[in-house]
């Protein structure tokens, strides 16, 4: 950062004399450059600086402390918003009204004591304006032992009512990815039933984990490795991928927000900032979610907008389309992002447990875990199979088995989040055959992963289907019943006879689908009224 003498370059001689007056030093030079050098030399005095800081009003002392906590600089927009503005006045009014003797904000107080300057610095997102403490003054303050203590945990311990109902972390994410991959392999856009985690988050992980390329093509070799890797190791890999990925945009995943336009948010920097806040929270202690959000708003509101610009991003509220522009919508954007970050990705990745005041209530507390969720080893459970072709799979069955078997079946909804239900049907077998899968492949999977032997009747049915296709079918047909055999014979000889099917008896015959009205018209011509029992 610039030194004090560099920071004083932009000020006129009158401003330099004001600084000398407030610091209580003599300024003999009558020319601006010499006055600047003289003043800078006199102000770089530890004892004098300590005395000045000691006399600061409370709000100005807090503002100075905030600078020290942040390495001597804070984005100008954030600093001004938190500690007030500097009045923009000309030199004439400044000297005439002596406004520096009655500052209107903590920012103005520090400015007229040379403890605050503003300048543009390089930043990963481009040059940005910062409030800063001149570098040599910062060094003196830190040398005098006035540097602030390391960052403390934001928020507070949760009250007992805030963690009354505990929602422990799981590794359902691994199973949801398996489910989504199987659905995509079947040509579906998404699974027929909802996931335990989030479809958007899970889908965004696929290209980041190289299970899919940008065009949507699945990567079979990577999928095979993913499915066969032990659960705990896989979860660790996903955490690492998520932490380092620049293509997983957490802000865009929030269901209450719609992000539009070509603006770019700092994905990785934002994630690192939020993780740094969480890492300062004591592990294995229940922490109030609301208090963390409130403290971040107070201390680090611009954690994802380092320039403090709240007008550039085009974000709308999902439920009514209202544009969320300006700092007044911080809670609906930044606040929503923090909440989603904790109760979403951190929870789904097994990094935190959650809690609420009541069952099915909104999450009110979280607990940073010391260890990841420990899962059962792969192949630790077997699938259950019955003679009717129904398959029930625990989520702890080897993921590669469920992924493959599900491609041969219709998927059925289960009310148990730890199990998956499938049904072998002719249509599901036909779909599998179209994808190049064979019955022998399915039988091999069932022999390897089923809890018992394959029911002989099911094995025979699968082999007969492979050889003969579908050998039985159920159809919906209409049956016409007449009171006299001769009436049926006359109808068969009429123009409507071509709509009649198999004769079921002397007075009963099958009617082709959709032909009831034509049969009725023919019967009326014969002097017979027909009652259509299918017309309800």
């Amino acid at each position: 950062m610039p030194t004090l003498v560099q920071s004083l370059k932009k000020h006129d001689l009158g401003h330099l004399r004001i600084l000398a007056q407030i610091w209580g030093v003599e300024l003999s030079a009558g020319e601006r450059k010499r006055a600047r050098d003289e003043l800078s030399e006199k102000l770089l005095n530890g004892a004098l600086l300590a005395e000045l800081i000691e006399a600061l009003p409370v709000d100005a002392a807090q503002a100075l402390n905030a600078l020290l906590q942040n390495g001597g600089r804070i984005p100008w927009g954030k600093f001004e918003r938190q500690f007030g503005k500097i009045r923009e006045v000309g030199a004439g009014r400044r000297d005439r009204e002596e406004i520096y003797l009655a500052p209107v904000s903590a920012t103005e107080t520090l400015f007229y004591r040379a403890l605050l300057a503003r300048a543009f610095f390089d930043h990963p997102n481009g040059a940005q304006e910062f409030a800063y403490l001149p570098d040599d003054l910062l060094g003196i303050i830190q040398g005098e032992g006035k540097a602030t203590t390391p960052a403390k945990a934001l928020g507070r311990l949760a009250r007992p009512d805030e963690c009354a109902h505990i929602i422990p972390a799981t590794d359902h994410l691994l199973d949801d990815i398996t489910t989504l991959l199987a659905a995509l392999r079947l040509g579906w856009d998404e699974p027929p039933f909802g996931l335990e985690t989030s479809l958007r988050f899970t889908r965004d992980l696929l290209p980041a984990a190289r299970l899919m390329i940008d065009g949507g093509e699945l990567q079979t070799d990577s999928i095979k490795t993913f499915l066969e890797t032990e659960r705990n190791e896989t979860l660790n890999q996903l955490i690492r991928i998520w932490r380092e990925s620049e293509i997983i945009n957490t802000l865009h995943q929030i269901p209450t927000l719609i992000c539009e336009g070509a603006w770019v948010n700092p994905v990785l920097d934002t994630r690192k900032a939020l993780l740094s806040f969480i890492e300062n929270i004591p592990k294995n202690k229940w922490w109030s979610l609301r208090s963390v959000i409130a403290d971040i708003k107070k201390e680090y509101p611009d954690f994802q907008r380092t320039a403090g610009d709240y007008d550039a991003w085009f974000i709308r509220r999902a439920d009514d389309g209202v544009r969320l522009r300006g700092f007044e919508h911080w809670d609906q954007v930044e606040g929503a992002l923090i909440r989603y970050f904790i109760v979403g990705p951190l929870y789904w990745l097994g990094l935190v447990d959650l809690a609420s005041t009541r069952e099915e209530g909104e999450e009110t507390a979280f607990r940073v875990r010391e260890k990841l969720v420990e899962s059962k080893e792969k192949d630790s459970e077997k699938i259950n199979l019955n003679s009717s072709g129904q398959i029930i799979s625990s989520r702890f069955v080897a993921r590669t088995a469920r992924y493959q078997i599900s491609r041969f079946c219709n998927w059925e909804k289960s009310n148990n989040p730890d199990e998956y239900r499938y049904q072998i049907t002719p249509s599901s077998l036909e779909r599998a055959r179209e994808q190049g899968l064979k019955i022998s492949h399915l039988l091999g999977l069932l022999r390897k992963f089923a809890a018992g032997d394959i029911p002989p009747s099911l094995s025979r049915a699968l082999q007969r289907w492979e050889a003969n296709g579908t050998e039985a079918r159920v159809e919906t047909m209409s049956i016409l019943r007449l009171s006299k055999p001769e009436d049926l014979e006359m109808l068969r000889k009429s123009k409507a006879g071509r709509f009649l099917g198999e004769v079921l008896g002397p007075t009963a015959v099958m009617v082709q689908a959709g032909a009831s009205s034509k049969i009725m018209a023919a019967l009326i011509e014969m002097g017979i009224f027909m009652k259509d029992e299918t017309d309800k």
Side-chain angles (χ1 to χ4, degrees), residues 52-274:
L52 184 77
I53 293 175
E54 191 69 28
L56 286 174
V58 173
D59 61 343
Q62 291 174 340
L64 178 62
N65 195 50
L67 283 170
L68 296 172
Q69 284 183 324
N70 288 275
R73 73 177 190 179
I74 295 175
W76 182 261
K78 173 184 175 181
F79 190 87
E80 191 177 52
R81 189 167 56 247
Q82 188 170 357
F83 299 110
K85 296 186 176 184
I86 297 174
R87 287 171 287 183
E88 299 290 343
V89 298
R93 181 186 169 191
R94 177 198 67 199
D95 297 341
R96 184 174 61 254
E97 298 181 11
E98 297 183 329
I99 64 171
Y100 49 86
L101 298 179
V104 295
S105 66
T107 305
E108 202 167 81
T109 299
L110 295 182
F111 177 70
Y112 283 113
R113 282 159 177 76
L115 297 176
L116 176 69
R118 61 193 291 185
F120 283 88
F121 298 131
D122 289 334
H123 187 272
N125 294 332
Q128 295 180 4
E129 190 175 29
F130 283 81
Y132 72 92
L133 178 64
D135 201 51
D136 37 12
L137 287 179
L138 174 63
I140 292 173
I141 294 174
Q142 291 175 331
E144 293 290 324
K146 294 188 179 292
T148 55
T149 56
K152 64 180 180 65
L154 298 170
R156 59 167 173 80
L157 287 166
R159 300 188 306 268
D161 65 295
E162 291 178 310
C163 49
H165 178 68
I166 296 175
I167 312 164
T170 70
D171 62 355
H172 266 294
L173 179 62
L174 303 180
D175 309 298
D176 281 355
I177 293 177
T178 303
T179 298
L180 178 58
L181 288 171
L184 294 174
R185 189 68 184 272
L186 286 169
W188 302 339
D189 291 333
E190 59 186 71
F193 309 114
L195 303 179
E196 288 298 307
T197 55
S198 154
L199 178 61
R200 175 63 188 270
F201 178 73
T202 306
R203 188 183 290 276
D204 285 355
L205 274 174
L206 299 188
R210 299 183 180 178
L211 299 173
M212 172 193 287
I213 58 177
D214 291 340
E217 181 182 346
L218 296 177
Q219 301 299 288
T220 53
D221 289 343
S222 298
I223 290 173
K224 183 176 185 295
T225 301
F226 167 81
L227 295 173
E228 293 178 351
T229 303
E230 189 269 331
R231 293 181 73 96
N232 285 336
E233 183 181 344
T234 306
L235 189 59
N236 269 303
Q237 290 174 355
L238 288 176
I239 292 170
R240 185 169 60 255
I241 290 167
W242 170 76
R243 290 180 70 114
E244 298 172 358
S245 173
E246 295 188 57
I247 64 174
I248 300 176
N249 196 325
T250 308
L251 182 64
H252 287 200
Q253 294 171 351
I254 302 173
T256 57
L257 302 179
I258 298 174
C259 299
E260 299 176 329
W263 52 272
V264 178
N265 57 309
V267 172
L268 203 52
D269 288 344
T270 297
R271 188 179 302 126
K272 288 179 178 178
L274 290 174

Side-chain angles (χ1 to χ4, degrees), residues 167-171 196 340-354 373:
I167 312 164
T170 70
D171 62 355
E196 288 298 307
Y340 171 80
F341 187 82
I342 294 172
V343 306
L346 290 187
Y347 173 68
W348 297 326
L349 289 164
L351 297 171
V352 301
D353 299 316
L354 301 176
V373 176

Side-chain angles (χ1 to χ4, degrees), residues 419-434:
E419 74 173 21
Y420 301 88
R421 291 177 175 266
Y422 304 99
Q423 178 66 51
I424 301 172
T425 68
S427 61
S428 68
L429 294 175
E430 184 61 40
R431 183 181 62 215
R433 180 160 61 185
E434 290 172 356

Side-chain angles (χ1 to χ4, degrees), residues 416-453:
N416 182 349
D418 287 336
E419 74 173 21
Y420 301 88
R421 291 177 175 266
Y422 304 99
Q423 178 66 51
I424 301 172
T425 68
S427 61
S428 68
L429 294 175
E430 184 61 40
R431 183 181 62 215
R433 180 160 61 185
E434 290 172 356
Q435 292 198 338
L437 300 176
K438 297 181 179 180
I439 293 298
S440 58
H441 184 196
L442 174 59
L443 289 171
L445 289 167
L446 295 178
R447 291 189 190 99
K448 182 176 180 180
F449 294 106
D453 294 334

Side-chain angles (χ1 to χ4, degrees), residues 346-514:
L346 290 187
Y347 173 68
W348 297 326
L349 289 164
L351 297 171
V352 301
D353 299 316
L354 301 176
S356 58
T357 56
R358 55 185 173 81
E359 191 171 359
E360 304 299 329
E362 185 181 68
E363 300 86 355
T364 49
F366 66 98
R367 175 174 59 189
V368 180
R369 295 177 60 89
E370 208 155 30
K371 297 191 303 182
L372 283 181
V373 176
E374 292 188 6
S375 298
K376 297 183 181 181
E377 294 295 325
K378 66 178 182 178
D379 300 337
S380 61
E381 294 190 14
K382 299 291 185 178
I383 64 171
N384 293 313
L385 171 67
N386 63 30
S387 57
S388 66
Q390 185 184 59
I391 296 173
I392 300 176
S393 170
S394 160
R395 72 184 187 92
F396 298 111
V397 168
R399 283 169 288 137
T400 186
R402 186 168 68 82
Y403 172 79
Q404 295 289 1
I405 289 173
S406 68
R407 297 174 62 197
F408 287 91
C409 307
N410 285 342
W411 298 15
E412 298 184 340
K413 186 174 179 58
S414 173
N415 294 322
N416 182 349
D418 287 336
E419 74 173 21
Y420 301 88
R421 291 177 175 266
Y422 304 99
Q423 178 66 51
I424 301 172
T425 68
S427 61
S428 68
L429 294 175
E430 184 61 40
R431 183 181 62 215
R433 180 160 61 185
E434 290 172 356
Q435 292 198 338
L437 300 176
K438 297 181 179 180
I439 293 298
S440 58
H441 184 196
L442 174 59
L443 289 171
L445 289 167
L446 295 178
R447 291 189 190 99
K448 182 176 180 180
F449 294 106
D453 294 334
I454 302 174
S457 58
L458 177 61
S459 180
R460 286 195 303 271
L462 288 170
Q463 291 168 343
R464 286 184 63 169
W465 183 90
E466 187 169 37
N468 306 319
T470 303
E471 297 180 277
R473 65 183 71 246
V474 174
E475 296 179 350
T476 301
M477 301 290 290
S478 297
I479 299 174
L480 172 66
R481 297 185 185 278
L482 295 164
S483 58
K484 298 177 181 179
E486 55 266 31
D487 291 337
L488 175 57
E489 185 63 25
M490 185 182 300
L491 181 62
R492 288 179 61 81
K493 294 178 181 178
S494 71
K495 292 180 180 179
R498 67 181 184 274
F499 298 114
L500 300 179
E502 181 182 351
V503 176
L504 303 176
T507 59
V509 65
M510 297 182 72
V511 177
Q512 294 179 14

